[in-house]
Amino acid sequence: MASRVVCMRGLASAKQLLSSTRSIRTTGAFFNTSSIHRKSFNVQDSEDFTERVIKSEIPTVVDFHATWCGPCKILGPRLEKVIGAKEGKVQLAKVDIDENTDLAMEYGVSAVPTVIAMKKGAKVDEFVGVQEEVELKSFVERLM
């Protein structure tokens, strides 16, 4: 169990490094990892959630997930694709329930993936489980 926590913390640190505003050169190509160009972010704690989701002027889709959850690994890329197509009009907040159990309990998350739509600090819609891309597009459109 302790090794799992260490591994999860290690992944969080790697994600933090990748969200820096630098380019990484790999096999001759440059990849920009700047958060300016990203439509999603990982929530670090309750304070971060309040600042970046609750107080946000931009509608936010909140993806409550877990690293061990197979369906979450399917849904995550689909959400990122749909949110990315909205060109900054909607943002995606990712909440790892193992690292942020207080947020998961506060929002009544009993299964993952759970996705909540937030607008002006209020929950306006939600679903549980994997959805097809067409359903995700409809979910995001209703939020806008």
Side-chain angles (χ1 to χ4, degrees):
M1 185 85 170
S3 64
R4 183 174 181 179
V5 172
V6 170
C7 179
M8 288 172 35
R9 289 180 191 268
L11 287 174
S13 297
K15 289 176 186 175
Q16 289 170 346
L17 280 173
L18 288 176
S19 68
S20 68
T21 56
R22 294 183 293 189
S23 293
I24 298 174
R25 185 174 180 164
T26 307
T27 62
F30 285 95
F31 297 95
N32 191 340
T33 59
S34 171
S35 59
I36 293 169
H37 299 288
R38 296 176 70 199
K39 310 296 187 270
S40 67
F41 58 90
N42 294 313
V43 173
Q44 302 302 314
D45 53 32
S46 293
E47 184 178 310
D48 188 38
F49 186 84
T50 299
E51 289 299 316
R52 297 172 82 179
V53 177
I54 302 296
K55 293 181 178 179
S56 177
E57 294 294 321
I58 301 170
T60 306
V61 173
V62 183
D63 177 17
F64 287 93
H65 69 280
T67 56
W68 46 263
C69 168
C72 299
K73 294 175 183 177
I74 295 168
L75 181 64
R78 290 180 186 173
L79 280 171
E80 289 179 3
K81 181 178 179 183
V82 170
I83 299 294
K86 296 303 174 189
E87 300 176 340
K89 295 176 185 169
V90 179
Q91 63 182 353
L92 175 63
K94 299 177 185 181
V95 180
D96 185 322
I97 63 162
D98 292 326
E99 294 178 5
N100 296 285
T101 53
D102 55 334
L103 285 171
M105 289 189 316
E106 182 178 341
Y107 285 90
V109 175
S110 59
V112 288
T114 294
V115 177
I116 296 175
M118 304 280 294
K119 193 170 191 176
K120 297 181 181 177
K123 180 172 132 178
V124 296
D125 202 356
E126 80 174 286
F127 68 83
V128 177
V130 176
Q131 302 287 316
E132 294 298 324
E133 194 172 316
V134 67
E135 293 153 333
L136 295 175
K137 287 178 182 177
S138 176
F139 180 81
V140 171
E141 285 296 324
R142 289 192 307 269
L143 178 59
M144 296 173 66

